[in-house]
């Protein structure tokens, strides 16, 4: 009911407003809301009632007004009637309008309903479109991951996949496609990991293929550093005390930058981007340990493929060895570069383990192939390549001590080849020598021989006249040249990197000792069996100079010694040559004494001769002539002291042999004429010795001269008087003197034939004296 009252009041107000409208437009504007409400609530009757009520009220007002003013009332009635007519017309129009509005309202409601339905459908379409676009974006990003993967942009693909998983999939998480893509993410990550691993493996393959060239470039760089260090040493000897890779050399060479891994001159470029990208991707995936282990295993397999099963060292250009060392060097350089360019990816332990393994395999291969090498020059080239390899790798911080044993083995073999070659040279020199003083035809030739030989000439070269001869034979300077060459070639082995100085010094000393003792000294001593004094003399002269050469060589070895071992160097060959010289001297003594024996054996003394010849015996003349000739020809080249020693021994031996002639047991008696003949020969020999103007040599004849004088003495009893004997016959042997006096006495007795009584008295007296000295008749 209250609602009805409210509606009536609202209609009344609306009707009031309609009546107060000043224009048809305002009237319609006021009527339209009322008609709209009427169409909804069926309030048309109420509207009509309100309008009727308004009309009645107006009529009442009109009547009231007419009662007071009829004319006006009539007028008003007329007006009212007109109004009424208009109202009726208006009512009809309103009803017609109401019907039209009602019809349009129904259409409007239908349209509104359709609009609401259309808006729901459109919202669904918009939501579906938005969802579809979101899914399409996700699919596009998913496809983009595979596109980036196909373009080798692995890290970009991984970033896109991460963005897809953590951002875009959350926006479409309510859709099934999100679950499908989410399930495919691990597989895609594996694809990215496999793809980047494939790239790394391809990169490792290319690195392995390029390792040899990389090692070749590294060797070239080391050669350049050697050249620069040599040039610095030539300019300043101070740099010669420092080896390659020393701190001083590295500082001096730091201005010459050379990047082995990226160098335009050598066209080398090692890009670590694939490795760094793979490391980053596996780190992002949380699989760094797996990648590190897989990479290490791959490098170990590549290391095994790098080392060949066999190696030849006998090829002319050394290609096999160079290829092996360059490949190992390139492989190891990449490992060091990997450590420097990454952080804790490759540990020093892993790299050093690979390096030690490669070094051991390399040493084994070279050691097994060494026995095929039969030439010291090839060994020197092999050592040179290994030394270059060691210097190169030392500059990269690798330890090369494991290769020292290989160098030592190569050096031992090298020294053996040198000894064999020089042994043959020495043998040929010794066997083909003419054992004659070496002729020199010019000053230039003389200077060359003196420079290569350990020989100090007695005269200045300006004082010499050419042609001339040197005291030694041609073998001596040739051996000196070979000794110097041997020394140079042994030390040539240590020029680059071989640090075993003590081994070189000891090997050199022992080798030279062996060569000189066995191939020179022993060969010369064996040739002393010759029967030619001239050859023996020349051998003695050569031995004398070789002894001097050994002494000089000891000083030279001490001077060039590179080890820190102190103390002098003593060659056993020095004593060997000294002993050989004594053997040669003895052999000369033997030959000279043998000749003296032969000459003295030709002596034909008639010990019971009654007359003596006016000239010395023929054998004595031959003897002195022989001694003179041998000293002035055969022994002329010997040093003065040796010559005097030979003279001294020869004269001593001759004196003894001459003295033995009358002492021979077959000689029973010696006549005074025979004594005079012997005395004449001894005097001739004494005069010959005097002509030599050497008082020491004359002492060899003292016993012989005094014995002959005793045999000629008038008073033989003086010999048995100690004081007289020491004064006149101090050099005479007591027993020999007594025997000769007895022979002379008996010979004189036979020649003179004295009376029996006198002879008997003399014999009895001599027998008494002889028995006193213990001499039997």
């Amino acid at each position: 009911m209250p609602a009805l009252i409210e509606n009536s009041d609202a209609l009344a107000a609306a009707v009031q407003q309609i009546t107060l409208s000043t224009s048809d437009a305002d009237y319609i504007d006021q009527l339209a809301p009322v008609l709209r409400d009427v169409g909804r609530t069926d309030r048309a009757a109420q509207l009509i009632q309100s309008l009727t009520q308004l009309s009645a009220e107006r009529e009442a007002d009109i009547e009231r007004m007419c009662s007071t003013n009829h004319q006006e009332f009539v007028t008003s009635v007329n007006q009212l009637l007109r109004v009424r007519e208009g109202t009726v017309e208006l009512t009809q129009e309103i009803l017609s309008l109401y019907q039209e509005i009602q019809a349009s309202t129904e259409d409007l409601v239908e349209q509104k309903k359709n609009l609401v339905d259309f808006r729901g459908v459109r919202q669904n379409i918009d939501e579906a479109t938005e969802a579809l676009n979101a899914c399409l974006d996700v699919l596009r990003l998913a496809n983009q991951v595979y596109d980036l993967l196909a373009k080798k942009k692995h890290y970009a693909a991984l970033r896109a996949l991460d963005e897809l998983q953590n951002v875009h999939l959350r926006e479409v998480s309510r859709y099934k496609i999100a679950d499908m893509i989410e399930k495919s993410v691990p597989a895609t990550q594996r694809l990215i990991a496999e793809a980047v691993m494939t790239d790394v493996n391809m990169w490792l393959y290319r690195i392995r293929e390029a390792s040899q060239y990389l090692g070749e470039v590294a060797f070239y760089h080391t050669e350049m550093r050697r050249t620069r260090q040599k040039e610095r040493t030539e300019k300043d000897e101070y740099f010669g005390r420092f080896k390659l890779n020393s701190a001083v050399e590295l500082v001096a060479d730091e201005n010459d930058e050379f990047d082995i891994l990226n160098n335009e001159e050598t066209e080398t470029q090692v890009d670590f981007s694939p490795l760094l990208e793979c490391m980053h991707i596996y780190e992002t995936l949380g699989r760094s340990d797996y990648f590190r282990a897989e990479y290490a295993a791959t490098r170990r397999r590549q290391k095994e493929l790098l080392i060949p099963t066999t190696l030849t060292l006998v090829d002319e250009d050394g290609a096999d060895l160079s290829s092996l060392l360059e490949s190992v060097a390139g492989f190891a350089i990449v490992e060091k570069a990997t450590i420097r360019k990454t952080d804790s990816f490759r540990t020093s332990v892993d790299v050093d383990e690979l390096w030690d393994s490669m070094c051991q395999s390399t040493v084994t291969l070279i050691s097994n192939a060494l026995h095929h090498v039969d030439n010291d020059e090839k060994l020197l080239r092999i050592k040179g390549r290994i030394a270059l390899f060691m210097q190169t790798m030392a500059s990269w911080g690798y330890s090369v001590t494991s290769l020292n044993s290989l160098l030592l083995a190569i050096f031992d073999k090298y020294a053996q080849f040198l000894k064999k070659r020089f042994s043959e040279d020495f043998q040929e020199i010794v066997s083909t020598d003419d054992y004659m003083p070496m002729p020199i035809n010019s000053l230039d030739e003389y200077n060359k021989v003196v420079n290569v030989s350990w020989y100090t000439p007695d005269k200045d070269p300006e004082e010499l006249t050419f042609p001339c001869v040197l005291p030694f034979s041609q073998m001596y300077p040739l051996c000196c040249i070979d000794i110097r060459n041997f020394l140079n070639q042994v030390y040539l082995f240590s020029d680059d990197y071989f640090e075993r100085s003590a081994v070189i010094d000891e090997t050199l000393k022992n080798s030279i000792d062996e060569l000189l003792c066995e191939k020179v000294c022993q060969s010369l001593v064996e040739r002393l069996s010759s029967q030619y004094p001239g050859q023996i003399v020349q051998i003695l002269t050569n031995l004398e100079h070789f002894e001097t050469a050994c002494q000089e060589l000891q000083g030279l070895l001490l001077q060039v010694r590179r080890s820190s071992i102190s103390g002098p160097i003593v060659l056993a060959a020095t004593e060997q040559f000294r002993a050989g010289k004594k053997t040669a001297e003895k052999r000369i003594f033997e030959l000279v004494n043998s000749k003296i024996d032969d000459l003295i054996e030709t002596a034909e003394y008639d010990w019971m001769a009654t007359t003596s010849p006016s000239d010395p015996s023929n054998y004595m003349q031959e003897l002195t002539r022989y001694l003179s000739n041998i000293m002035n020809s055969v022994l002329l080249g010997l040093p003065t002291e040796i010559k005097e020693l030979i003279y001294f021994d020869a004269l001593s031996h001759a004196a003894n042999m001459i003295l033995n002639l009358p002492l021979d047991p077959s000689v029973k008696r010696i006549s005074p004429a025979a004594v005079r003949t012997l005395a004449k020969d001894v005097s001739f020999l004494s005069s010959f010795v005097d002509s030599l103007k050497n008082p020491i040599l004359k002492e060899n004849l003292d016993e012989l001269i005094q014995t002959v004088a005793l045999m000629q003495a008038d008073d033989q009893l003086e010999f048995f008087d100690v004081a007289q004997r020491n004064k006149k016959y101090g050099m005479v042997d007591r027993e020999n003197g007594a025997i000769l006096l007895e022979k002379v006495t008996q010979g004189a007795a036979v020649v003179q034939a004295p009376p029996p009584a006198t002879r008997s008295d003399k014999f009895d007296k001599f027998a008494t004296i002889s028995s006193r000295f213990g001499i039997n008749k």
Side-chain angles (χ1 to χ4, degrees):
M1 196 64 186
L4 183 59
I5 295 174
E6 293 176 359
N7 293 332
S8 299
D9 294 339
L11 289 173
V15 170
Q16 188 67 30
Q17 291 292 334
I18 293 171
T19 58
L20 294 177
S21 298
T22 58
S23 64
D24 291 340
D26 291 340
Y27 162 72
I28 295 301
D29 290 338
Q30 295 297 328
L31 182 60
V34 175
L35 292 176
R36 188 184 301 115
D37 292 338
V38 169
R40 286 184 181 179
T41 58
D42 200 13
R43 292 171 58 191
Q46 293 179 1
L47 177 60
I48 295 172
Q49 182 180 357
S50 295
L51 291 174
T52 303
Q53 185 179 355
L54 178 61
S55 178
E57 289 177 354
R58 295 300 178 124
E59 289 180 354
D61 290 338
I62 293 171
E63 288 181 358
R64 198 168 42 251
M65 293 174 61
C66 288
S67 61
T68 57
N69 193 347
H70 180 72
Q71 187 64 38
E72 294 179 1
F73 178 73
V74 172
T75 304
S76 298
V77 170
N78 292 330
Q79 292 178 351
L80 183 60
L81 289 173
R82 287 192 297 274
V83 169
R84 184 182 179 92
E85 290 177 358
T87 304
V88 172
E89 292 176 358
L90 182 60
T91 301
Q92 291 177 351
E93 290 178 3
I94 290 173
L95 290 175
S96 177
L97 181 61
Y98 172 76
Q99 291 176 353
E100 292 177 1
I101 292 173
Q102 188 175 7
S104 64
T105 301
E106 291 177 355
D107 293 337
L108 183 63
V109 170
E110 185 66 25
Q111 290 178 3
K112 186 175 183 180
K113 181 180 179 182
N114 292 335
L115 179 61
V116 171
D117 293 340
F118 289 155
R119 285 180 177 175
V121 172
R122 182 171 181 175
Q123 183 177 359
N124 292 337
I125 292 173
D126 291 342
E127 290 178 356
T129 303
E130 183 179 355
L132 182 60
N133 289 332
C135 293
L136 288 176
D137 289 340
V138 170
L139 287 174
R140 180 179 56 79
L141 290 175
N143 291 330
Q144 185 181 8
V145 170
Y146 289 96
D147 291 340
L148 292 173
L149 192 60
K151 296 177 180 179
K152 303 294 182 181
K153 298 180 179 180
H154 306 109
Y155 184 68
L158 186 63
R159 288 291 303 272
L161 183 63
D162 182 69
E163 182 181 356
L164 175 65
Q165 183 181 15
N166 296 321
V167 179
H168 297 283
L169 284 183
R170 292 181 180 180
E171 298 177 358
V172 294
S173 58
R174 60 185 181 275
Y175 305 116
K176 188 175 182 181
I177 191 173
D179 184 55
M180 295 172 60
I181 294 177
E182 182 72 29
K183 291 180 180 179
S184 69
V185 167
T188 306
Q189 289 177 340
R190 285 194 298 273
L191 284 177
I192 294 175
E194 291 173 358
V196 75
M197 180 64 79
T198 301
D199 282 358
V200 168
N201 289 334
M202 182 61 65
W203 176 76
L204 287 174
Y205 173 77
R206 291 196 299 267
I207 288 294
R208 183 173 69 85
E209 291 296 316
S211 292
Q212 181 178 349
Y213 181 68
L214 190 63
E216 183 180 350
V217 172
F219 288 177
Y220 166 77
H221 176 52
T222 304
E223 287 284 7
M224 294 299 100
R225 289 174 56 202
R226 282 181 177 178
T227 302
R228 290 192 292 269
Q229 178 69 1
K230 184 178 180 181
E231 292 174 353
R232 285 191 289 267
T233 303
E234 292 175 352
K235 295 178 181 178
D236 187 351
E237 294 182 357
Y238 172 78
F239 288 99
R241 294 183 289 177
F242 303 99
K243 294 184 176 181
L244 213 66
N245 296 324
S246 64
V248 173
E249 186 274 333
L250 292 174
V251 170
D253 202 62
E254 63 183 359
N255 293 330
D256 297 294
E257 296 183 358
F258 188 91
D259 189 356
I260 294 176
L261 300 175
N262 295 281
N263 190 276
E264 295 182 358
E265 180 183 355
T266 57
E267 298 181 355
T268 55
Q269 184 175 5
V270 180
D271 185 10
F272 283 83
S273 298
L275 175 62
L276 298 176
E277 182 184 25
C278 190
M279 288 174 54
H280 192 52
I281 288 176
Y282 271 84
E283 183 178 0
T284 304
L285 295 175
R287 301 178 64 191
S288 297
D289 293 339
Y290 168 80
F291 176 61
R292 187 181 295 110
E294 187 68 20
Y295 183 87
T298 302
R299 291 301 278 171
R300 283 194 295 271
R301 289 193 297 270
Q302 286 190 333
K303 183 264 298 183
E304 296 298 332
L305 295 174
L306 191 70
I307 306 298
T309 55
T310 59
L311 178 69
T312 177
L313 299 176
V314 295
D315 50 339
E316 291 298 328
D317 55 354
D320 269 17
L321 178 61
S322 296
S323 175
L324 172 62
L325 296 180
E326 289 166 357
S327 299
V328 171
F331 185 95
I333 288 172
V334 170
E335 287 296 297
K336 278 293 183 181
T338 303
I339 291 180
R340 296 175 182 178
K341 291 182 177 294
T342 60
D343 184 16
S344 302
F345 176 66
R346 294 288 285 163
T347 64
S348 298
V349 175
D350 293 338
V351 173
D352 290 340
E353 181 181 352
L354 278 178
W355 168 251
D356 292 338
S357 176
M358 288 190 295
C359 285
Q360 186 61 39
S361 300
T362 302
V363 169
T364 302
L365 278 173
I366 296 176
S367 299
N368 293 337
L370 274 179
H371 67 278
H372 294 294
V373 181
D374 56 356
N375 185 284
D376 57 281
E377 294 181 358
K378 290 182 180 179
L379 283 176
L380 198 59
R381 288 197 297 268
I382 292 170
K383 172 259 170 186
R385 297 302 294 175
I386 295 175
L388 180 63
F389 170 73
M390 294 172 69
Q391 286 177 329
T392 302
M393 302 321 297
S395 66
W396 282 87
Y398 283 106
S399 173
V400 293
T401 54
S402 59
L403 296 172
N404 285 335
S405 58
L406 175 62
L407 285 183
L408 184 59
I410 294 175
F411 175 72
D412 289 339
K413 193 173 184 66
Y414 177 75
Q416 292 175 7
F417 280 138
L418 285 183
K419 282 197 297 184
K420 180 181 178 182
R421 178 157 62 87
F422 280 92
S423 294
E424 295 173 354
D425 290 346
F426 281 128
Q427 193 71 35
E428 183 179 0
I429 291 172
V430 173
S431 61
T432 57
D433 191 56
D434 57 3
Y435 295 97
M436 296 290 290
M438 185 175 181
I440 300 296
N441 298 317
S442 64
L443 179 61
D444 183 52
E445 184 180 353
Y446 175 83
N447 290 330
K448 289 180 180 179
V449 173
V450 172
N451 289 333
V452 299
S453 306
W454 286 281
Y455 171 62
T456 304
D458 298 332
K459 298 180 181 180
D460 293 334
E462 292 78 9
E463 300 177 3
L464 297 175
T465 57
F466 297 97
C468 66
V469 293
L470 295 178
F472 43 77
S473 64
Q474 190 175 3
M475 68 161 292
Y476 176 69
L478 292 178
C479 288
C480 289
I481 292 174
D482 269 6
I483 291 172
R484 292 181 185 273
N485 289 338
F486 181 80
L487 187 147
N488 291 333
Q489 292 198 27
V490 169
Y491 276 112
L492 185 63
F493 195 92
S494 65
D495 279 352
D496 292 332
Y497 199 85
F498 191 61
E499 297 179 348
R500 302 293 184 96
S501 299
V503 175
I504 289 184
D505 292 335
E506 189 64 23
T507 301
L508 179 60
K509 172 184 172 298
N510 294 336
S511 299
I512 288 181
D513 238 354
E514 182 179 343
L515 289 172
L516 291 176
C517 290
E518 296 182 2
K519 301 303 176 182
V520 180
C521 184
Q522 185 175 344
S523 298
L524 290 177
V525 171
E526 290 175 355
R527 290 182 173 273
L528 292 176
S529 59
S530 172
Q531 299 297 320
Y532 301 99
Q535 187 176 7
I536 305 300
V537 169
Q538 189 60 60
I539 291 175
L540 175 60
T541 303
N542 290 347
L543 290 170
E544 177 78 17
H545 284 86
F546 273 116
E547 181 186 357
T548 303
C550 286
Q551 295 171 352
E552 295 290 338
L553 188 57
Q554 289 174 171
L556 179 60
L557 291 176
L558 184 62
Q559 181 181 354
V560 300
R561 183 166 61 185
R562 301 188 177 185
S563 61
S564 58
I565 301 175
S566 58
I569 294 179
V570 179
L571 293 174
T574 306
E575 188 60 34
Q576 287 280 347
F577 281 116
R578 188 176 294 118
K581 187 173 66 172
K582 292 180 180 179
T583 304
E585 292 174 0
K586 292 180 180 178
R587 179 59 179 161
I588 294 176
F589 295 157
E590 291 176 0
L591 292 177
V592 173
N593 293 340
S594 175
K595 181 64 176 179
I596 291 173
D597 291 345
D598 293 340
L599 291 174
I600 293 178
E601 286 178 359
T602 63
E604 298 178 352
Y605 284 108
D606 182 4
W607 296 110
M608 292 305 296
T610 57
T611 60
S612 61
S614 58
D615 296 325
S617 302
N618 291 331
Y619 89 91
M620 183 58 67
Q621 295 179 20
E622 289 292 332
L623 175 62
T624 55
R625 188 180 299 111
Y626 169 75
L627 291 176
S628 177
N629 289 338
I630 196 172
M631 290 304 169
N632 293 324
S633 59
V634 178
L635 305 181
L636 183 62
L638 289 177
T640 303
E641 60 274 11
I642 297 179
K643 220 169 19 172
E644 291 178 350
L645 183 60
I646 294 175
Y647 240 135
F648 188 88
D649 183 79
L651 291 173
S652 177
H653 182 72
N656 292 332
M657 291 298 295
I658 294 171
L659 186 58
N660 288 335
L661 292 175
L663 288 173
D664 190 275
S666 62
V667 179
K668 303 299 183 180
R669 301 177 182 85
I670 301 175
S671 66
V675 172
R676 288 192 299 272
T677 302
L678 179 61
K680 187 176 292 186
D681 290 341
V682 171
S683 177
F684 182 79
L685 179 60
S686 177
S687 299
F688 169 75
V689 175
D690 289 337
S691 67
L692 299 177
K693 297 180 181 180
N694 191 338
I696 298 177
L697 298 177
K698 187 66 175 294
E699 295 177 0
N700 287 319
L701 304 180
D702 288 346
E703 182 181 3
L704 178 61
I705 293 173
Q706 291 181 12
T707 301
V708 173
L710 175 61
M711 295 172 67
Q712 292 178 312
D714 295 332
D715 187 3
Q716 299 177 349
L717 294 178
E718 290 180 348
F719 180 73
F720 300 101
D721 185 348
V722 176
Q724 292 296 324
R725 184 177 71 244
N726 290 337
K727 182 179 179 180
K728 292 184 177 182
Y729 313 109
M731 300 299 296
V732 179
D733 184 84
R734 290 185 304 169
E735 182 178 354
N736 292 339
I739 294 174
L740 291 175
L741 286 176
E742 181 181 4
K743 292 182 178 182
V744 170
T745 302
Q746 291 182 0
V750 172
V751 172
Q752 296 176 1
T758 304
R759 277 173 47 201
S760 177
D761 292 340
K762 288 183 178 181
F763 281 125
D764 290 340
K765 185 176 181 181
F766 183 78
T768 302
I769 296 173
S770 299
S771 62
R772 186 184 302 172
F773 283 91
I775 299 173
N776 297 324
K777 291 184 180 180

